[in-house]
Amino acid sequence: SNRVLDKRSSPRVGLRTKLAIVTGQTGPFEAAPVEVWLRDLSAGGIGIVHNQDLERGTPFVAHLPRRQGVALRVLYEVAHCKRLAKDLYSIGAKLSRILP
């Protein structure tokens, strides 16, 4: 891609893999994880494809698989959501923080 036209601060890595996310409340009563497709990932954000729309500003925790050990839990906030088809939404989110 043309570096000048790329407004993103970090390069994105294009990926096609399934990922678990948990929307809404974090903590002891958090909802069950749902499976989404990971579209791309960068140091500052994530792109996913989900079967439901998420409003801008909605927090969610992504469980990013690691080669060793337990998944990395990362808190994101929805930046935009675009309907691709019936029950298919492209969602971009920015990284809020990495959870312990």
Side-chain angles (χ1 to χ4, degrees):
S1 71
N2 186 332
R3 294 312 297 128
V4 180
L5 296 176
D6 194 350
K7 290 186 178 69
R8 289 184 180 84
S9 51
S10 320
R12 294 188 306 165
V13 185
L15 298 163
R16 298 284 181 280
T17 182
K18 281 184 175 173
L19 191 68
I21 69 163
V22 177
T23 52
Q25 215 38 59
T26 59
F29 306 110
E30 69 183 31
V34 293
E35 218 171 49
V36 300
W37 284 99
L38 176 61
R39 207 185 57 231
D40 52 64
L41 186 62
S42 77
I46 194 170
I48 60 171
V49 176
H50 195 358
N51 62 9
Q52 46 189 297
D53 66 328
L54 295 178
E55 261 181 64
R56 192 186 165 139
T58 303
F60 67 87
V61 176
H63 295 237
L64 302 177
R66 291 194 277 198
R67 282 194 185 85
Q68 285 97 25
V70 56
L72 188 65
R73 292 169 68 243
V74 183
L75 180 65
Y76 290 97
E77 186 181 301
V78 174
H80 59 83
C81 181
K82 186 176 73 187
R83 188 165 181 255
L84 299 175
K86 184 175 157 58
D87 300 331
L88 205 60
Y89 299 87
S90 172
I91 295 164
K94 59 179 193 282
L95 190 143
S96 295
R97 65 178 196 272
I98 294 169
L99 301 174

